[in-house]
Amino acid sequence: MLKYTHEKGELMKPMIFFDVDGTLMDNHDYQVTPSTKKALQKLQENGYKIGIATGRAVNSLKRTGVVDIANWDGFVCNNGQTVLNKNFQIVEELVISPEIVHRCIKIAKDNNIPLALKMEHRIITQEPDENVYTARKFFNSIIPPVGIYQNQKVEAMIAYGPNGYDYAPFKQLEGLHILPGVSTYCDITHADATKATGIQVILKQYNLDKYICFGDSLNDVEMFNHAAISICMGQGDAYLKNIATFVTDSIDDDGIYNACINLGLFK
């Protein structure tokens, strides 16, 4: 069992964070497997704090139902831009400046790429195309209405390009993280926020400094780079597998549960 000596001499277990899409929840039935629910229960019974670290916005995360399957100890949303405590109260939030949003909208228009803006009332900048519909199916999400940006608060953005697209035009902008996903989309987030920075906010609340994480996509890279142990799902991104401490089985083959057994987390 992994433990770390705290500054007061106590033995402290690292907190464990889970990505949602492709990690906790599959991308075909949009369900959490019984073995994953069992794993979460056993981890908490063994004294581990557990948290969610996702690219989804808060309302989008709530719609998945994942928040209701366990007594979570914290939430990192929008790839670190919105951090909430166990009671779903915001403890840290970063937003993208209107100037940068307008520049992203122009790049999206010039390259015929639909761009979704994560706001209180989410909009998309042009009519959905096949890439939007493919990503919608991947996430089981709602496509927002086409709208005009009027300097509202934007938490993050999603650009919809073909599989394999590098989103190079967006990478020219300073102040942003460009995070291509495993489907036809790319997360665009504040440069000062990653899942790793959001996790640090939660760890400080519990006076912890180590964590373990599970993920499957490129928006998990920073989270993996700063983890004590990182576990990539069996169906996950090839690069993420390469940097992971451990590669487990796929979601459908009880990947989270099996990893917990192999790492001795249930002892």
Side-chain angles (χ1 to χ4, degrees), residues 59-232:
N59 288 338
S60 176
L61 174 61
K62 288 180 177 179
R63 285 196 297 269
T64 67
V66 168
V67 296
D68 302 317
I69 66 173
N71 294 318
W72 300 101
D73 295 295
F75 306 87
V76 176
C77 295
N78 285 324
N79 291 309
Q81 287 188 212
T82 309
V83 183
L84 305 97
N85 62 20
K86 65 183 302 179
N87 298 317
F88 243 84
Q89 299 167 322
I90 294 176
V91 295
E92 183 169 288
E93 183 179 45
L94 293 174
V95 297
I96 300 173
S97 73
E99 177 187 359
I100 292 179
V101 174
H102 280 293
R103 293 175 69 185
C104 283
I105 291 172
K106 184 179 186 308
I107 290 173
K109 181 179 180 180
D110 290 345
N111 290 273
N112 195 30
I113 294 175
L115 185 70
L117 309 184
K118 294 184 178 182
M119 309 184 299
E120 181 179 1
H121 300 291
R122 189 178 297 199
I123 63 170
I124 193 167
T125 58
Q126 64 186 63
E127 290 295 332
D129 61 12
E130 61 179 335
N131 296 319
V132 175
Y133 288 111
T134 298
R136 186 215 65 81
K137 183 177 180 181
F138 180 82
F139 285 114
N140 191 30
S141 59
I142 299 170
I143 299 174
V146 176
I148 298 174
Y149 176 60
Q150 297 178 319
N151 296 336
Q152 303 99 314
K153 182 175 75 173
V154 172
E155 299 168 348
M157 295 173 275
I158 305 174
Y160 298 94
N163 263 322
Y165 184 58
D166 64 2
Y167 298 91
F170 295 96
K171 293 178 181 178
Q172 298 173 12
L173 295 177
E174 294 183 1
L176 296 174
H177 281 306
I178 309 300
L179 304 167
V182 296
S183 183
T184 54
Y185 73 95
C186 172
D187 288 320
I188 301 177
T189 60
H190 196 293
D192 293 336
T194 66
K195 288 186 179 183
T197 62
I199 285 171
Q200 289 303 319
V201 173
I202 294 176
L203 293 181
K204 287 180 183 178
Q205 290 188 317
Y206 295 112
N207 211 16
L208 297 171
D209 59 4
K210 302 288 184 181
Y211 69 91
I212 298 168
C213 63
F214 288 77
D216 75 306
S217 188
L218 289 178
N219 68 353
D220 298 316
V221 169
E222 286 296 316
M223 177 171 73
F224 272 40
N225 285 340
H226 294 85
I229 293 177
S230 55
I231 303 101
C232 184

Side-chain angles (χ1 to χ4, degrees), residues 22 33 97 234 237:
T33 66
S97 73
D237 180 84

